[in-house]
Amino acid sequence: MKKYSDWFKVDLHIHTDYSKQTKTNDYQGHFDINILKQKLIENDVKLFSLTDHNIINVDAYKNYYENYTDGDPKLLIGCEFDIEVPKSHKTITYHSVIVFENDNFEDVEIISNKIERLYATKGVSKTERKITIDDLYDLFNEHNYFFIPHAGNTKSILDPYIGYDIQLCQQMVLLMPSAFEKVKESVRQTYNEGFDRIKTLDFKDKDDIPYINFSDNHNCNSYPCTNKNGDNHEFYCIKGQPTFESIRFAFIDPKSRIKKFSEVEVLMRFDNFLHSVKFEDNPVIENTTLYFSPNLNTIIGGRSSGKSLLFNILGKKINNNKSQIDKYGLDITNAKVKSFLDDDYKPIINYNTNDIIYINQGDIVNYFENNSLKDLILESGETENYKAALETFKTKKSDLTQLVEKLIELYSELYDVLNSNFTFHDRDITSILDSSYIFKSISDIEDNTDSFQTSAEILNLLTDNTEKFKANENWSFLPEELEVIETFIELVNAKNLLFDEVTKNYSKKIDFITDVKKIITDKNANLDLKGREKEASNTRYTTLNKNISDAFKIAKQVENHCLLVEQLSYGEIQEIKINDEVTVVLEVEKNESIKTKIIEGLSSISSTNLSLYQVLIKLALGEIKIKNLPTNSSDNLAKKTMTQVKGILDLFDKPIEYLKYSEESTSKNNSPGFNSEKYLQTILKSGNSKIIFIDQPEDNLGNRFITDKLIDLLRDLKFKKQIFLITHNPSIVVYGDAENIIMCNNNENTIEYEQYVLEEKEHQKEICTVLDGGQYIFEQRARKYNIKKLIQ
């Protein structure tokens, strides 16, 4: 059993041959519990119930429980009742499956005896057995059970209530732990609208009425098909563990926890998400292996419990340069990680840079504060002398600044591509060579955007300036000259029409390729598991080729730019008085080269004859280091380089030691909370990332934003990206429906990590002790409809 909540097939409506005792010719063939068990295993059903009509097959339950072993499908006690509504004065009944929390033979006998005594008291034959809701309440008031009526077909719960009191029907269903079975897709909207009429405003218009279909099988030999038409049954899945409590959570939150198996297949992940981490022989952390959900993983615990430690260990193990593990002084050599595509554990996993978003606590607010320093713009003074001085140095200073900034920008790309993932897995090769077919994507056409823009500008200039040339008051034209001008204008117009046709055809090609790619993507999404895994492997193969190609392309660009930096010459002197308060001496003297200043900021280099290009290659590969900074990231190189060349840049504009900037900014004019919300929304929705790490996303966020926007965003995003969150907010854990909850404890300086799931009652208690307000959030989640009658 997985340690996190995952999807499993469920079938809570299966008949045995006992149904023939209460319904004539109801069961087809011979029933054998061992045959059914084998069929359930073959179909990977993890939780089921035997639900005969108005009777319980005690022998079948006894046989199953006596021979049950760990790993077998779990059997809950159940029965399908014919329920009548006497007050409606209708003779028709509706069918409802009742599934009990109980899963042992002693309770089978107790429940069966209650049913038999009830019908004996009523004095009816087995084929005429009926029951009322009041009977159910009285009979099973000591038991926990689910009420799952038929709806939208024969024996529907609506039939006895139509024309009598349909609102009573809806209220009754809402007041019980219930779901609808056998509802057609076309009538779900009608059902939802009906229930919305009796829900309070806070709960209206929510897609949270649970619908779930079971096989209603009447012939175990042809399972899962029914005996009526033989159509293939479409299994439904519930998210969680194969338990009664998981069903309860699914009925409370069907949008997140009930799906058809075909929908679950679409959600299956083949990207290289983080699978697990193994701790062995660590002086601080207890030996354990943590398995991660491909969806939402939340890390919770008290103060100094090891939450941030785990967060930073994972950051280090995925080779993310923002990990702050060094501040703990802890040896994590024996901590090993494994990705979805790995066969064994390894010391580190290299992901592509754009695959990971990693945000430490406080980063979101600090981002705006630090970014404002990068966004500052030098202002000019009002005096003519200052303007003259700036004009003198403007070109050279601009050239030098842009040259250095461009060098950092190119190094950023070089660093990212050289530290990308260049590995290819045996599993990918096996998948690519597999006989399963996929639809292969087509290549994009060359991007002509820049070329078209240049051509359009040329044509516009020719059209405008030719007319101005013709009408200029400073010269006149002879007739033959005017004829030449007119001919030229006709030529330009002809080329304009031709260019317009070319751009239209280009747009059509782009649209065609886009449409074809969408079709291919849709088709691949519906292939079998082998086919889609092959597609995922092909995608990774394409990414590998692109990484290699990008490495050579950016390396050539870096080499060419390094030559420009090394060959740059500068030098100028100007003394400028800005105003009475500021006087600047602008003196630029070429006494040091840019190359020398950059290299001085790096650790010792073996050869002084290395070119700047060779130095940057070694830096990106980690063969040399940036002095006094932890990593060779582009941000760190930018800090060091700008520090090194600051003396040279200051010579261009020395009065800029203190200036006030009037900038129409975006982030600085808003509160930290507002900026954090916008930043978080943007970073989460980034289409490139595959895995997201955030330490306490609720910091500086308003509660309304968390409940109104962040929760819905997480619930949608977690099926597309793997998410890791450290949080103290129970709403994020519970309403976000976290698939995996890692509880952190510090037991006498030994860190213990345990995995919890929301649908486990004991885990719920522990979660509530750690998260302030957790008990209230759990209660509110269960009270999703808030009907006034429930309060009364």
Side-chain angles (χ1 to χ4, degrees), residues 89-144:
H89 303 294
K90 292 184 179 181
T91 58
I92 59 176
T93 61
Y94 66 91
H95 285 183
S96 181
V97 171
I98 305 296
V99 177
F100 296 89
E101 184 178 22
N102 314 72
D103 58 357
N104 61 80
F105 182 65
E106 181 180 352
D107 287 329
V108 170
E109 291 186 306
I110 292 172
I111 293 171
S112 177
N113 289 336
K114 286 185 176 184
I115 294 172
E116 295 303 319
R117 281 198 299 269
L118 172 72
Y119 289 123
T121 302
K122 286 179 176 285
V124 295
S125 65
K126 286 186 176 181
T127 57
E128 294 177 346
R129 289 184 171 186
K130 299 176 185 178
I131 197 170
T132 67
I133 288 295
D134 290 340
D135 290 334
L136 282 175
Y137 289 157
D138 294 339
L139 206 59
F140 305 125
N141 59 12
E142 296 178 355
H143 299 274
N144 288 326

Side-chain angles (χ1 to χ4, degrees), residues 151 178-184 187-193 195 207-213 236 250-251 254 258-259:
S178 65
F180 284 127
E181 182 194 7
K182 303 172 75 66
V183 176
K184 297 179 181 178
V187 300
R188 288 194 178 193
Q189 183 176 355
T190 303
Y191 273 79
N192 286 339
E193 290 172 354
F195 283 109
D207 185 18
D208 57 2
I209 305 296
Y211 301 98
I212 185 165
N213 288 1
Y236 271 59
F251 290 173
I258 299 178
K259 292 187 184 296

Side-chain angles (χ1 to χ4, degrees), residues 68 134 137 174 218 295 366 444 474 524 536 607 611 661 716:
Y68 179 84
D134 290 340
Y137 289 157
L174 291 174
H218 287 67
N295 309 125
N366 291 336
D444 291 317
N474 293 316
N524 281 332
S607 173
S611 67
Y661 297 93
D716 175 65

